[in-house]
Amino acid sequence: MIFLENCHFLLCLSFSYLVCVFNLNADAQDGRRVQVIERDLKEPERFMGELMQPGGRLMLAQLGLEDCLEEIDAQEAKYLAIYKDGKHATLPFPNDNKFPYEPVGRTLRNGRLVQRLRKKAASLSNVHLEEGSVKSLIEERGVVKGVTYKNSTGEETTAFAPLTVVCDGCYSNLRRSLVDNNEEVLSYMVGYVTKNSRLEDPHSLHLILSKPLVCVIYQITSDEVRCVAEIPTDSIPSIANGEMSTFLKKTMAPQIPEIGNLREIFLKGIEEGLPEIKRTATKSMSTKLSDKKGVIVLGDAFNMRHPIIASGMMVALSDTLILRNLLRPLPNLGNTKKVSEVVKSFYIIRKPMSATVNTLANVFSQVLIATTDEAREGMRQGCFNYLCNGDFRTNGIIALLGGMNPRPLTLVLHLVAITLTSMGHMLSPFPSPRRFWHSLRLFALALQMLGALLKDEGVKEMLIPTNAAAYRRTYMTTTK
C-alpha cells in the first residue's frame, strides 16, 4: 500500500485539473505533507482549458508558478476579434494602470501545462504523487477522513488525512456524496486541431457569431490552430459515421469569414482528414458548500460556467490563492471547526472573481445564440454593437472578461447599458409600434436573465462593492 503517514493534505483526482496542482504546490511549499491521487499521469488530450487569461497569469505569478507557461510553445493572446454578418472588430486587452501585470493572455496545449505543473509539484520532497482511481470518501460522523482508491496495480487501498481536497473535474463522482448540486448541460463544443498552420493574426481569439451558435478559432502552438464549433444539445451529428465532418464543412465553414486565412484553416483540418474531432459538453453549475467537515471541493467539481469566455483556469487559480492564504496560518488542519470557518470565508472572498466571470459567461452564452425571435436577435446585435464601440465600454467588458477587473457591480452596469443599447438599436430609425413592442420584450428578457443570475450568485455579493475592493487589494497587487 502506498501511503503517507501523518499526511496533512490529501488531494483526490480522477481527472487532471490545474487547481489541484496549484494547491498542492502552494501548501507543500508551506511545509505541509501532501498526497496526490491522480487517475492518469499521462499527458491529457483535451481541448478545454487552452486559454490563460491575463488575470489567470497574475494568479500564477502570485503562486510562483508563472514559469510553468514557459517551454510549452504557448502563444500570446492580445486581442479578441469578433465577427458578425460581414462586420468585425479587434478588441485589445486594455492597458490599464490598475491591473498590475502584463495585459496579455496565453493560448496553449492544456496537457503540456498540466505536465509542467505535475513535474514542479513532484519535485517537492513532501509531495507524494501517485496514479490511482478514487472510488469513495471515508467518513466518520459527518467528517471526511480520507478516501478509498485503486492504485496503479489494481489493488484497492485507503489513504487518510486531516483535510481532503476533492477536485475531480466536471464529471465528478465524489461531488454527489458531498453536495446536492446538479450540473446543467447547455450545449456541446466540437473541436479539432489544424496542424502545420499559422493564422495571419495569431495573437487574437477569433469569435465568430455564426448560426445557430458560435465558432472560435485560435493559435495554440506555433504551428497548430484550434477550431471549435458550438452545437445545440438537440442536434448533434455523429462523429463516427462522418456526419460531423460534413456538418462542419457544409454548414459551419461557409459562415467563417474569409478575412485572413480563417476559413482556409478551418477547412484545411477537415479536408486533410488529420483532425481527431472531439466533443465535450458545456455545463453550468452554481456553487454550493458541503455541510461535511474535513473536505474542500474545488475546480469544476465545485463551480462551472459556460466556456465562452475561457475563464475556468483563472477561477481555479483565484480559488487556490485564496485558500492558500486562508489555510497558511492554521497550525493544525485537523481542527475541523477552524477549517470549516476558513471554507465559509473562502466562499465569500471568492465571489468578486467567480461571480463576475460566471455571470459574464452565462449572459454571453444566452445572448449570442442566433434566433428568429426579434427581441433576442436585437439583444444579440446590441451586444455586438456594444463590444465594437472601441471606447470605455469595450475596454470595460474586455477587462472583465480577462479577469483584470473582477467587479460584479461594474458588470451589472455594463449589462444594463447593453440592454439599453439593444433597445435603442431596435427602435431606430424611428419607434414604430412593432419595434416598441419588441424593445419591451427585450427589456423583459434582460430583466429575467439578470434576475436569475443575481439569484444564483447572490444580490449582496453582486451589488455591494466592498468585497470586490477588498479582493483587489489582497489578490491583485503583484507588480511586474
Side-chain angles (χ1 to χ4, degrees):
M1 180 174 73
I2 302 174
F3 177 63
L4 288 182
E5 295 181 356
N6 303 317
C7 182
H8 292 96
F9 255 92
L10 175 65
L11 290 109
C12 28
L13 301 80
S14 63
F15 190 78
S16 297
Y17 196 70
L18 298 179
V19 67
C20 44
V21 185
F22 298 141
N23 203 53
L24 72 90
N25 191 68
D27 286 292
Q29 288 180 344
D30 290 342
R32 306 189 195 274
R33 301 188 71 192
V34 181
Q35 180 171 359
V36 187
I37 304 168
E38 169 68 280
R39 186 182 67 183
D40 190 347
L41 291 176
K42 296 192 294 292
E43 181 176 318
E45 289 287 341
R46 60 196 299 250
F47 72 91
M48 306 300 278
E50 293 181 331
L51 170 63
M52 183 69 71
Q53 298 278 13
R57 290 185 63 217
L58 171 61
M59 300 301 156
L60 268 180
Q62 298 258 39
L63 290 165
L65 294 167
E66 65 270 33
D67 60 326
C68 290
L69 287 173
E70 299 172 2
E71 301 177 12
I72 60 173
D73 200 14
Q75 304 295 297
E76 290 187 340
K78 300 179 179 180
Y79 313 95
L80 171 66
I82 184 168
Y83 307 82
K84 183 180 185 294
D85 299 333
K87 298 180 180 180
H88 74 282
T90 301
L91 322 173
F93 288 113
N95 194 359
D96 186 349
N97 292 332
K98 294 181 181 179
F99 181 66
Y101 205 74
E102 181 186 26
V104 179
R106 291 288 186 273
T107 50
L108 48 91
R109 279 279 193 177
N110 176 269
R112 294 179 186 179
L113 176 58
V114 169
Q115 292 301 86
R116 286 275 290 167
L117 291 164
R118 287 173 176 166
K119 182 178 179 181
K120 188 154 189 171
S123 68
L124 301 173
S125 60
N126 50 339
V127 173
H128 177 70
L129 177 65
E130 70 169 302
E131 193 168 275
S133 181
V134 176
K135 299 300 181 183
S136 62
L137 298 171
I138 299 172
E139 296 182 43
E140 292 181 10
R141 299 177 182 176
V143 178
V144 174
K145 298 292 187 179
V147 298
T148 300
Y149 69 102
K150 282 190 177 181
N151 60 26
S152 57
T153 65
E155 176 188 3
E156 188 166 298
T157 185
T158 55
F160 297 90
L163 182 60
T164 299
V165 180
V166 173
C167 31
D168 56 342
C170 61
Y171 298 104
S172 173
N173 67 317
L174 301 177
R175 176 177 63 236
R176 294 172 182 82
S177 64
L178 295 170
V179 294
D180 181 20
N181 203 11
N182 295 319
E183 69 272 15
E184 177 187 1
V185 176
L186 305 172
S187 61
Y188 286 88
M189 289 288 191
V190 176
Y192 59 91
V193 172
T194 302
K195 298 182 180 295
N196 303 314
S197 298
R198 190 161 182 83
L199 294 166
E200 289 187 12
D201 181 8
H203 301 305
S204 289
L205 301 164
H206 300 271
L207 175 64
I208 298 101
L209 303 191
S210 48
K211 299 177 181 179
L213 301 175
V214 301
C215 289
V216 188
I217 301 174
Y218 51 95
Q219 197 83 37
I220 55 171
T221 68
S222 56
D223 63 353
E224 293 178 309
V225 176
R226 172 67 70 187
C227 301
V228 180
E230 187 177 6
I231 298 176
T233 56
D234 59 354
S235 56
I236 307 169
S238 170
I239 295 175
N241 65 12
E243 288 180 359
M244 183 65 74
S245 294
T246 301
F247 171 80
L248 293 172
K249 186 175 180 179
K250 301 295 185 182
T251 303
M252 302 311 296
Q255 300 185 66
I256 305 299
E258 292 185 293
I259 298 171
N261 56 350
L262 287 174
R263 187 182 296 183
E264 174 187 340
I265 285 179
F266 189 88
L267 283 168
K268 179 184 175 184
I270 303 171
E271 292 174 345
E272 291 183 354
L274 293 176
E276 179 185 348
I277 298 176
K278 296 182 181 294
R279 186 187 77 184
T280 188
T282 68
K283 298 182 177 183
S284 177
M285 185 182 73
S286 58
T287 55
K288 190 171 183 180
L289 286 178
S290 172
D291 294 330
K292 295 178 181 177
K293 298 178 180 179
V295 64
I296 296 174
V297 186
L298 290 180
D300 279 356
F302 179 55
N303 181 205
M304 288 182 277
R305 81 286 306 156
H306 194 285
I308 186 70
I309 65 170
S311 57
M313 290 194 294
M314 180 171 66
V315 175
L317 282 163
S318 173
D319 286 354
T320 299
L321 184 61
I322 294 167
L323 269 177
R324 191 274 304 270
N325 289 358
L326 291 174
L327 291 172
R328 178 178 273 170
L330 299 185
N332 177 19
L333 296 181
N335 187 332
T336 54
K337 182 179 179 181
K338 287 289 186 183
V339 172
S340 295
E341 291 173 359
V342 161
V343 173
K344 290 178 181 178
S345 298
F346 158 73
Y347 182 75
I348 296 170
I349 295 170
R350 76 184 293 269
K351 273 295 181 178
M353 177 65 82
S354 65
T356 299
V357 298
N358 287 350
T359 302
L360 186 57
N362 289 329
V363 166
F364 273 17
S365 69
Q366 295 178 60
V367 170
L368 299 184
I369 298 174
T371 175
T372 56
D373 184 296
E374 290 189 41
R376 292 183 180 276
E377 186 58 30
M379 190 180 295
R380 183 170 178 255
Q381 183 64 47
C383 184
F384 177 79
N385 293 344
Y386 192 90
L387 285 170
C388 295
N389 272 309
D391 55 15
F392 70 94
R393 290 169 288 185
T394 300
N395 289 339
I397 285 288
I398 298 301
L400 290 164
L401 184 150
M404 301 166 65
N405 183 28
R407 295 178 184 268
L409 179 57
T410 299
L411 174 59
V412 170
L413 296 176
H414 277 289
L415 296 179
V416 171
I418 289 173
T419 300
L420 296 177
T421 299
S422 302
M423 292 176 68
H425 173 78
M426 290 206 72
L427 291 171
S428 64
F430 57 89
S432 67
R434 179 185 179 86
R435 288 171 177 165
F436 185 73
W437 167 245
H438 286 303
S439 69
L440 288 178
R441 288 186 58 241
L442 187 155
F443 184 70
L445 286 169
L447 283 181
Q448 182 182 10
M449 188 185 306
L450 185 58
L453 294 168
L454 288 173
K455 181 180 178 181
D456 282 344
E457 298 295 339
V459 175
K460 179 181 177 181
E461 291 80 358
M462 290 289 288
L463 300 182
I464 297 179
T466 51
N467 286 345
Y471 178 92
R472 286 185 64 88
R473 286 195 303 269
T474 306
Y475 300 103
M476 302 192 73
T477 56
T478 296
T479 57
K480 189 181 181 201

Tab-separated table of all heavy atoms in Angstrom, residues 10-13 37 134-140 142-149 158-160 163-168 172-179 290 292-297:
chain	number	residue	atom	x	y	z
A	10	LEU	N	-4.629	15.601	1.467
A	10	LEU	CA	-4.913	14.522	0.529
A	10	LEU	C	-5.701	15.113	-0.620
A	10	LEU	O	-6.784	15.668	-0.416
A	10	LEU	CB	-5.715	13.418	1.222
A	10	LEU	CG	-6.206	12.255	0.355
A	10	LEU	CD1	-5.023	11.466	-0.170
A	10	LEU	CD2	-7.123	11.353	1.165
A	11	LEU	N	-5.137	15.066	-1.809
A	11	LEU	CA	-5.842	15.567	-2.980
A	11	LEU	C	-6.264	14.395	-3.827
A	11	LEU	O	-5.430	13.594	-4.264
A	11	LEU	CB	-4.946	16.511	-3.792
A	11	LEU	CG	-4.667	17.841	-3.099
A	11	LEU	CD1	-3.232	17.891	-2.658
A	11	LEU	CD2	-4.974	18.992	-4.027
A	12	CYS	N	-7.564	14.270	-4.048
A	12	CYS	CA	-8.048	13.141	-4.828
A	12	CYS	C	-8.593	13.631	-6.148
A	12	CYS	O	-9.452	14.502	-6.192
A	12	CYS	CB	-9.096	12.341	-4.073
A	12	CYS	SG	-10.067	13.226	-2.887
A	13	LEU	N	-8.050	13.066	-7.203
A	13	LEU	CA	-8.389	13.478	-8.550
A	13	LEU	C	-8.736	12.258	-9.368
A	13	LEU	O	-8.124	11.220	-9.234
A	13	LEU	CB	-7.200	14.168	-9.222
A	13	LEU	CG	-6.615	15.430	-8.581
A	13	LEU	CD1	-5.707	15.082	-7.435
A	13	LEU	CD2	-5.811	16.161	-9.619
A	37	ILE	N	-3.582	11.789	-5.485
A	37	ILE	CA	-4.021	10.586	-6.186
A	37	ILE	C	-4.637	11.040	-7.502
A	37	ILE	O	-5.679	11.687	-7.525
A	37	ILE	CB	-5.040	9.789	-5.351
A	37	ILE	CG1	-4.444	9.443	-3.983
A	37	ILE	CG2	-5.459	8.522	-6.099
A	37	ILE	CD1	-5.470	8.926	-2.997
A	134	VAL	N	-9.892	7.094	-7.486
A	134	VAL	CA	-10.611	7.245	-6.218
A	134	VAL	C	-12.033	6.724	-6.372
A	134	VAL	O	-12.748	7.089	-7.306
A	134	VAL	CB	-10.626	8.717	-5.774
A	134	VAL	CG1	-11.453	8.882	-4.501
A	134	VAL	CG2	-9.207	9.218	-5.556
A	135	LYS	N	-12.434	5.866	-5.448
A	135	LYS	CA	-13.759	5.243	-5.503
A	135	LYS	C	-14.768	5.918	-4.592
A	135	LYS	O	-15.936	6.097	-4.961
A	135	LYS	CB	-13.642	3.753	-5.138
A	135	LYS	CG	-12.754	2.949	-6.084
A	135	LYS	CD	-13.285	2.999	-7.499
A	135	LYS	CE	-12.426	2.178	-8.456
A	135	LYS	NZ	-12.904	2.289	-9.852
A	136	SER	N	-14.338	6.278	-3.394
A	136	SER	CA	-15.292	6.848	-2.438
A	136	SER	C	-14.546	7.565	-1.328
A	136	SER	O	-13.343	7.380	-1.124
A	136	SER	CB	-16.185	5.752	-1.839
A	136	SER	OG	-15.394	4.810	-1.130
A	137	LEU	N	-15.308	8.400	-0.603
A	137	LEU	CA	-14.765	9.083	0.564
A	137	LEU	C	-14.987	8.227	1.809
A	137	LEU	O	-15.970	7.490	1.903
A	137	LEU	CB	-15.459	10.432	0.744
A	137	LEU	CG	-15.297	11.446	-0.399
A	137	LEU	CD1	-16.228	12.632	-0.175
A	137	LEU	CD2	-13.858	11.912	-0.508
A	138	ILE	N	-14.086	8.325	2.752
A	138	ILE	CA	-14.225	7.636	4.038
A	138	ILE	C	-14.725	8.669	5.054
A	138	ILE	O	-14.084	9.699	5.272
A	138	ILE	CB	-12.878	7.051	4.499
A	138	ILE	CG1	-12.377	6.016	3.478
A	138	ILE	CG2	-13.011	6.424	5.880
A	138	ILE	CD1	-10.967	5.534	3.753
A	139	GLU	N	-15.876	8.388	5.646
A	139	GLU	CA	-16.484	9.337	6.578
A	139	GLU	C	-16.701	8.703	7.938
A	139	GLU	O	-16.969	7.506	8.061
A	139	GLU	CB	-17.834	9.816	6.048
A	139	GLU	CG	-17.769	10.611	4.757
A	139	GLU	CD	-19.147	11.094	4.334
A	139	GLU	OE1	-19.899	11.569	5.222
A	139	GLU	OE2	-19.481	10.984	3.152
A	140	GLU	N	-16.594	9.544	8.962
A	140	GLU	CA	-16.937	9.157	10.322
A	140	GLU	C	-17.698	10.305	10.971
A	140	GLU	O	-17.157	11.397	11.150
A	140	GLU	CB	-15.682	8.841	11.141
A	140	GLU	CG	-14.948	7.589	10.705
A	140	GLU	CD	-13.724	7.315	11.572
A	140	GLU	OE1	-13.588	8.008	12.625
A	140	GLU	OE2	-12.926	6.451	11.210
A	142	GLY	N	-19.961	12.394	9.907
A	142	GLY	CA	-20.052	13.623	9.135
A	142	GLY	C	-18.733	14.302	8.846
A	142	GLY	O	-18.704	15.404	8.294
A	143	VAL	N	-17.631	13.652	9.211
A	143	VAL	CA	-16.297	14.207	8.951
A	143	VAL	C	-15.579	13.298	7.962
A	143	VAL	O	-15.491	12.085	8.166
A	143	VAL	CB	-15.469	14.320	10.249
A	143	VAL	CG1	-14.070	14.866	9.934
A	143	VAL	CG2	-16.179	15.203	11.257
A	144	VAL	N	-15.088	13.863	6.872
A	144	VAL	CA	-14.348	13.084	5.882
A	144	VAL	C	-12.931	12.853	6.401
A	144	VAL	O	-12.214	13.801	6.742
A	144	VAL	CB	-14.309	13.823	4.527
A	144	VAL	CG1	-13.400	13.081	3.543
A	144	VAL	CG2	-15.715	13.958	3.959
A	145	LYS	N	-12.520	11.578	6.452
A	145	LYS	CA	-11.219	11.207	6.994
A	145	LYS	C	-10.204	10.835	5.909
A	145	LYS	O	-9.004	10.802	6.157
A	145	LYS	CB	-11.373	10.012	7.951
A	145	LYS	CG	-12.259	10.297	9.159
A	145	LYS	CD	-11.602	11.297	10.099
A	145	LYS	CE	-12.401	11.465	11.377
A	145	LYS	NZ	-11.760	12.414	12.311
A	146	GLY	N	-10.708	10.517	4.690
A	146	GLY	CA	-9.800	10.096	3.624
A	146	GLY	C	-10.580	9.492	2.475
A	146	GLY	O	-11.779	9.762	2.312
A	147	VAL	N	-9.908	8.637	1.700
A	147	VAL	CA	-10.551	8.048	0.525
A	147	VAL	C	-10.173	6.584	0.373
A	147	VAL	O	-9.144	6.120	0.862
A	147	VAL	CB	-10.148	8.798	-0.767
A	147	VAL	CG1	-10.588	10.250	-0.725
A	147	VAL	CG2	-8.650	8.688	-1.029
A	148	THR	N	-11.049	5.891	-0.342
A	148	THR	CA	-10.730	4.544	-0.826
A	148	THR	C	-10.447	4.655	-2.309
A	148	THR	O	-11.184	5.326	-3.039
A	148	THR	CB	-11.926	3.604	-0.603
A	148	THR	OG1	-12.213	3.539	0.794
A	148	THR	CG2	-11.618	2.202	-1.129
A	149	TYR	N	-9.353	4.007	-2.763
A	149	TYR	CA	-8.982	4.114	-4.172
A	149	TYR	C	-8.258	2.865	-4.640
A	149	TYR	O	-7.754	2.072	-3.832
A	149	TYR	CB	-8.102	5.349	-4.400
A	149	TYR	CG	-6.716	5.275	-3.793
A	149	TYR	CD1	-5.596	4.996	-4.580
A	149	TYR	CD2	-6.513	5.503	-2.429
A	149	TYR	CE1	-4.327	4.935	-4.030
A	149	TYR	CE2	-5.254	5.450	-1.872
A	149	TYR	CZ	-4.158	5.170	-2.671
A	149	TYR	OH	-2.893	5.104	-2.124
A	158	THR	N	-6.518	2.466	0.927
A	158	THR	CA	-7.073	3.667	1.548
A	158	THR	C	-5.962	4.678	1.821
A	158	THR	O	-4.785	4.325	1.899
A	158	THR	CB	-7.779	3.339	2.874
A	158	THR	OG1	-6.856	2.653	3.736
A	158	THR	CG2	-8.997	2.473	2.645
A	159	ALA	N	-6.354	5.928	1.968
A	159	ALA	CA	-5.437	6.990	2.358
A	159	ALA	C	-6.187	7.930	3.283
A	159	ALA	O	-7.382	8.180	3.096
A	159	ALA	CB	-4.930	7.738	1.127
A	160	PHE	N	-5.483	8.447	4.293
A	160	PHE	CA	-6.118	9.286	5.296
A	160	PHE	C	-5.361	10.597	5.457
A	160	PHE	O	-4.143	10.660	5.263
A	160	PHE	CB	-6.164	8.560	6.656
A	160	PHE	CG	-6.979	7.306	6.641
A	160	PHE	CD1	-6.386	6.085	6.328
A	160	PHE	CD2	-8.336	7.340	6.921
A	160	PHE	CE1	-7.134	4.923	6.303
A	160	PHE	CE2	-9.085	6.172	6.899
A	160	PHE	CZ	-8.492	4.961	6.596
A	163	LEU	N	-7.288	16.787	6.075
A	163	LEU	CA	-8.039	17.572	5.098
A	163	LEU	C	-7.952	16.916	3.728
A	163	LEU	O	-6.860	16.641	3.218
A	163	LEU	CB	-7.493	19.002	5.008
A	163	LEU	CG	-8.219	19.947	4.041
A	163	LEU	CD1	-9.687	20.104	4.436
A	163	LEU	CD2	-7.531	21.296	4.006
A	164	THR	N	-9.106	16.647	3.142
A	164	THR	CA	-9.188	16.068	1.803
A	164	THR	C	-9.695	17.136	0.838
A	164	THR	O	-10.707	17.774	1.101
A	164	THR	CB	-10.147	14.861	1.781
A	164	THR	OG1	-9.653	13.855	2.669
A	164	THR	CG2	-10.255	14.277	0.371
A	165	VAL	N	-8.966	17.321	-0.256
A	165	VAL	CA	-9.366	18.291	-1.277
A	165	VAL	C	-9.838	17.506	-2.495
A	165	VAL	O	-9.071	16.759	-3.104
A	165	VAL	CB	-8.193	19.219	-1.659
A	165	VAL	CG1	-8.646	20.225	-2.723
A	165	VAL	CG2	-7.673	19.951	-0.429
A	166	VAL	N	-11.111	17.662	-2.833
A	166	VAL	CA	-11.705	16.961	-3.961
A	166	VAL	C	-11.719	17.898	-5.165
A	166	VAL	O	-12.326	18.964	-5.128
A	166	VAL	CB	-13.146	16.499	-3.637
A	166	VAL	CG1	-13.829	15.924	-4.873
A	166	VAL	CG2	-13.124	15.482	-2.509
A	167	CYS	N	-11.025	17.526	-6.222
A	167	CYS	CA	-11.035	18.328	-7.459
A	167	CYS	C	-10.986	17.359	-8.634
A	167	CYS	O	-9.992	17.275	-9.339
A	167	CYS	CB	-9.895	19.330	-7.488
A	167	CYS	SG	-8.402	18.849	-6.631
A	168	ASP	N	-12.063	16.599	-8.785
A	168	ASP	CA	-12.101	15.554	-9.809
A	168	ASP	C	-12.917	15.964	-11.025
A	168	ASP	O	-13.468	15.133	-11.735
A	168	ASP	CB	-12.590	14.221	-9.226
A	168	ASP	CG	-13.946	14.317	-8.548
A	168	ASP	OD1	-14.366	15.434	-8.210
A	168	ASP	OD2	-14.589	13.277	-8.350
A	172	SER	N	-17.300	14.776	-11.867
A	172	SER	CA	-17.005	14.323	-10.504
A	172	SER	C	-17.959	13.232	-10.029
A	172	SER	O	-19.175	13.372	-10.106
A	172	SER	CB	-17.086	15.517	-9.548
A	172	SER	OG	-16.963	15.091	-8.210
A	173	ASN	N	-17.377	12.150	-9.534
A	173	ASN	CA	-18.199	11.104	-8.921
A	173	ASN	C	-18.213	11.248	-7.405
A	173	ASN	O	-18.916	10.519	-6.715
A	173	ASN	CB	-17.677	9.713	-9.314
A	173	ASN	CG	-16.314	9.424	-8.718
A	173	ASN	OD1	-15.442	10.288	-8.711
A	173	ASN	ND2	-16.113	8.216	-8.215
A	174	LEU	N	-17.438	12.190	-6.878
A	174	LEU	CA	-17.397	12.405	-5.434
A	174	LEU	C	-18.302	13.549	-5.008
A	174	LEU	O	-18.745	13.597	-3.861
A	174	LEU	CB	-15.955	12.695	-4.984
A	174	LEU	CG	-14.924	11.605	-5.289
A	174	LEU	CD1	-13.537	12.055	-4.869
A	174	LEU	CD2	-15.290	10.294	-4.594
A	175	ARG	N	-18.567	14.471	-5.923
A	175	ARG	CA	-19.379	15.636	-5.582
A	175	ARG	C	-20.751	15.221	-5.045
A	175	ARG	O	-21.277	15.840	-4.117
A	175	ARG	CB	-19.546	16.527	-6.816
A	175	ARG	CG	-20.452	17.728	-6.583
A	175	ARG	CD	-20.528	18.624	-7.808
A	175	ARG	NE	-21.119	17.948	-8.945
A	175	ARG	CZ	-20.525	17.828	-10.133
A	175	ARG	NH1	-19.322	18.320	-10.318
A	175	ARG	NH2	-21.132	17.207	-11.125
A	176	ARG	N	-21.324	14.194	-5.655
A	176	ARG	CA	-22.686	13.795	-5.287
A	176	ARG	C	-22.801	13.353	-3.828
A	176	ARG	O	-23.880	13.413	-3.242
A	176	ARG	CB	-23.174	12.686	-6.218
A	176	ARG	CG	-23.341	13.160	-7.663
A	176	ARG	CD	-23.635	12.019	-8.609
A	176	ARG	NE	-23.757	12.475	-9.983
A	176	ARG	CZ	-22.727	12.704	-10.785
A	176	ARG	NH1	-21.500	12.497	-10.334
A	176	ARG	NH2	-22.908	13.132	-12.017
A	177	SER	N	-21.696	12.906	-3.260
A	177	SER	CA	-21.733	12.494	-1.857
A	177	SER	C	-21.460	13.667	-0.911
A	177	SER	O	-21.531	13.509	0.301
A	177	SER	CB	-20.693	11.391	-1.610
A	177	SER	OG	-19.379	11.878	-1.829
A	178	LEU	N	-21.188	14.838	-1.483
A	178	LEU	CA	-20.861	15.997	-0.655
A	178	LEU	C	-21.902	17.109	-0.737
A	178	LEU	O	-22.203	17.756	0.265
A	178	LEU	CB	-19.488	16.560	-1.068
A	178	LEU	CG	-18.295	15.639	-0.823
A	178	LEU	CD1	-17.049	16.196	-1.483
A	178	LEU	CD2	-18.069	15.476	0.676
A	179	VAL	N	-22.407	17.362	-1.938
A	179	VAL	CA	-23.382	18.440	-2.109
A	179	VAL	C	-24.513	17.981	-3.016
A	179	VAL	O	-24.321	17.155	-3.899
A	179	VAL	CB	-22.724	19.707	-2.716
A	179	VAL	CG1	-21.723	20.324	-1.782
A	179	VAL	CG2	-22.082	19.406	-4.051
A	290	SER	N	-20.443	22.253	0.936
A	290	SER	CA	-20.758	20.994	1.598
A	290	SER	C	-20.888	21.211	3.098
A	290	SER	O	-20.137	21.986	3.699
A	290	SER	CB	-19.650	19.966	1.318
A	290	SER	OG	-19.846	18.803	2.098
A	292	LYS	N	-20.356	18.825	5.144
A	292	LYS	CA	-19.440	17.886	5.776
A	292	LYS	C	-18.098	18.553	6.073
A	292	LYS	O	-17.657	19.445	5.349
A	292	LYS	CB	-19.254	16.667	4.884
A	292	LYS	CG	-20.541	15.871	4.737
A	292	LYS	CD	-20.389	14.686	3.822
A	292	LYS	CE	-21.727	13.943	3.690
A	292	LYS	NZ	-21.653	12.800	2.755
A	293	LYS	N	-17.467	18.092	7.122
A	293	LYS	CA	-16.191	18.679	7.553
A	293	LYS	C	-15.031	17.817	7.081
A	293	LYS	O	-15.192	16.670	6.687
A	293	LYS	CB	-16.189	18.821	9.077
A	293	LYS	CG	-17.279	19.761	9.593
A	293	LYS	CD	-17.278	19.843	11.113
A	293	LYS	CE	-18.370	20.790	11.601
A	293	LYS	NZ	-18.418	20.875	13.078
A	294	GLY	N	-13.858	18.417	7.098
A	294	GLY	CA	-12.653	17.691	6.702
A	294	GLY	C	-12.474	17.576	5.209
A	294	GLY	O	-11.624	16.808	4.754
A	295	VAL	N	-13.235	18.351	4.446
A	295	VAL	CA	-13.163	18.233	2.992
A	295	VAL	C	-13.411	19.585	2.343
A	295	VAL	O	-14.180	20.407	2.866
A	295	VAL	CB	-14.183	17.187	2.468
A	295	VAL	CG1	-15.603	17.618	2.743
A	295	VAL	CG2	-13.973	16.912	0.990
A	296	ILE	N	-12.745	19.836	1.231
A	296	ILE	CA	-12.960	21.029	0.408
A	296	ILE	C	-13.136	20.559	-1.024
A	296	ILE	O	-12.385	19.699	-1.508
A	296	ILE	CB	-11.768	21.998	0.499
A	296	ILE	CG1	-11.608	22.533	1.927
A	296	ILE	CG2	-11.941	23.173	-0.469
A	296	ILE	CD1	-10.371	23.383	2.119
A	297	VAL	N	-14.115	21.117	-1.725
A	297	VAL	CA	-14.338	20.806	-3.134
A	297	VAL	C	-13.897	22.015	-3.959
A	297	VAL	O	-14.252	23.151	-3.652
A	297	VAL	CB	-15.823	20.491	-3.420
A	297	VAL	CG1	-16.002	20.032	-4.865
A	297	VAL	CG2	-16.333	19.434	-2.458
